[in-house]
């Protein structure tokens, strides 16, 4: 059976879920946060060490201001209310992406990372204002600036995920089959699962089903 260390998730479908339930897109985001909490608990139960969640892409700034503000408020309140709890559960929080938010949110993100830095049970990588193309261009620029040989090993050192193993699994909910500028380098050999359900409807049972399927896949990594 394949070992499972790292699950990455594109949590798609919140907006559609909100509209489907005769409410707003933001209502969907709030429901999506409940699923985040559920999947954190399920990851611990499955002894997963790294969980990477795509919460806000560099492209998501193009959304209406009201929605962007709502998402960051949701995140702020989540951290204010839950970071102690995450810390008690031995969970480490790491942000990947560029932290150029409000002063208040940047401070909160930094203090949450600092507080949980030494925790070992599960590392949650929250991708915020993250874009894989930007990350790669930046890595190449740094390689050149530091006069390093351009090879895989050196490039990795300049990625935001430098201390994190590549994802074993990528899950994208919401019945859409694309990568949306997420971890393009890191997903080179990941097993990809596209899930029809919208993120707020994604359950622990659905998650466990994917994990079970993954564990039985013959992973070749290019060999036969
Ligand atoms: C994609 O669905 C989802 C997002 C861009 C935001 C993800 C946010 C959450 C799951 C809740 C907040 C999380 C934290 C950690 C505070 P979409 O809005 O693109 O859905 P659509 O495809 O139906 O429009």
């Amino acid at each position: 059976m394949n070992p499972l260390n790292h699950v990455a998730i594109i949590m798609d479908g919140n907006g559609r879920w909100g509209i489907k339930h005769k409410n707003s897109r933001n209502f969907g985001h709030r429901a999506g946060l409940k699923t985040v909490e559920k999947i954190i608990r399920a990851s611990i139960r499955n002894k997963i060490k790294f969980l990477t969640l795509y919460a806000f892409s560099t492209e998501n700034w193009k959304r209406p201001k009201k929605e962007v503000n709502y998402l960051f408020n949701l995140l702020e309140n989540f951290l204010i209310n839950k970071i102690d709890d995450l810390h008690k559960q031995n969970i480490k929080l790491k942000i990947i992406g560029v932290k150029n938010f409000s002063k208040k949110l940047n401070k909160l993100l930094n203090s949450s990372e600092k507080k949980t830095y030494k925790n070992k049970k599960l590392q949650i990588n929250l991708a915020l204002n993250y874009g894989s193309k930007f990350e790669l261009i930046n890595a190449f620029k740094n390689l050149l600036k530091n006069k390093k040989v351009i090879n895989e090993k050196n490039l990795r050192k300049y990625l935001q995920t430098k201390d994190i193993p590549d994802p074993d699994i990528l899950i994208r909910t919401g019945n859409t089959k694309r990568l949306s500028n997420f971890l393009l380098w890191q997903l080179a050999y990941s097993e990809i699962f596209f899930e029809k359900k919208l993120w707020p409807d994604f359950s622990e049972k659905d998650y466990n089903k994917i994990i079970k399927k993954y564990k039985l896949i013959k992973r070749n990594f290019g060999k036969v």
Side-chain angles (χ1 to χ4, degrees):
M1 280 218 288
N2 296 315
L4 179 57
N5 260 319
H6 185 175
V7 177
I9 308 183
I10 302 177
M11 311 179 286
D12 195 15
N14 290 347
R16 276 169 286 160
W17 190 92
I19 304 296
K20 196 174 136 194
H21 286 79
K22 314 234 172 322
N23 212 305
S24 61
R25 292 180 51 82
N26 287 346
F27 181 67
H29 290 310
R30 206 164 66 213
L33 184 55
K34 291 265 169 284
T35 306
V36 169
E37 295 185 71
K38 212 160 44 187
I39 293 307
I40 293 173
R41 288 193 293 272
S43 298
I44 292 176
R45 276 197 275 276
N46 278 290
K47 300 192 168 53
I48 288 161
K49 285 290 165 198
F50 299 89
L51 176 66
T52 302
L53 300 172
Y54 204 8
F56 196 86
S57 72
T58 45
E59 290 74 29
N60 286 152
W61 292 108
K62 294 176 198 148
R63 293 184 176 210
K65 205 163 178 244
K66 204 171 146 203
E67 183 170 339
V68 172
N69 288 343
Y70 187 87
L71 277 167
F72 288 127
N73 269 330
L74 206 59
L75 175 62
E76 247 176 54
N77 288 328
F78 175 74
L79 290 176
I80 291 168
N81 294 317
K82 296 288 160 91
I83 196 67
D84 285 339
D85 191 36
L86 295 178
H87 183 45
K88 267 191 215 133
Q89 292 183 68
N90 203 8
I91 293 173
K92 173 175 175 172
L93 182 72
K94 182 183 164 63
I95 307 303
I96 59 168
V98 181
K99 278 184 250 161
N100 63 350
F101 311 109
S102 69
K103 227 178 171 175
K104 185 178 171 207
L105 182 56
N106 280 342
K107 215 171 138 192
L108 196 56
L109 292 170
N110 287 332
S111 65
S112 302
E113 284 187 294
K114 204 168 155 200
K115 182 177 202 132
T116 60
Y117 185 70
K118 289 191 177 148
N119 291 344
K120 292 268 180 293
K121 189 158 215 109
L122 168 72
Q123 175 168 331
I124 299 173
N125 306 305
L126 199 57
L128 284 176
N129 190 23
Y130 173 84
S132 189
K133 287 184 178 177
F134 176 83
E135 181 190 33
L136 284 167
I137 287 171
N138 210 36
F140 280 112
K141 278 185 183 165
N142 276 314
L143 280 172
L144 292 174
K145 195 169 90 188
N146 295 304
K147 299 194 168 48
K148 300 279 186 210
V149 179
I150 295 183
N151 60 28
E152 216 175 293
K153 194 168 152 238
N154 285 342
L155 184 101
R156 261 176 198 284
K157 290 183 194 153
Y158 292 98
L159 295 177
Q160 302 219 335
T161 53
K162 65 177 158 58
D163 300 317
I164 304 168
D166 287 343
D168 299 299
I169 295 181
L170 169 75
I171 299 171
R172 179 175 189 141
T173 59
N175 202 19
T176 303
K177 296 188 173 98
R178 55 174 170 257
L179 295 180
S180 300
N181 201 13
F182 187 48
L183 303 175
L184 300 178
W185 174 278
Q186 296 87 338
L187 292 174
Y189 275 100
S190 308
E191 304 297 333
I192 301 183
F193 294 84
F194 292 110
E195 164 68 48
K196 285 204 170 100
K197 282 189 184 176
L198 304 173
W199 176 247
D201 288 331
F202 188 65
S203 67
E204 177 163 2
K205 206 168 151 199
D206 300 320
Y207 192 41
N208 288 340
K209 233 191 250 172
I210 289 175
I211 292 172
K212 205 168 156 194
K213 245 192 216 165
Y214 157 83
K215 288 200 169 163
L216 297 173
I217 290 172
K218 188 168 178 276
R219 299 185 85 192
N220 288 342
F221 297 100
K223 299 179 297 229
V224 285

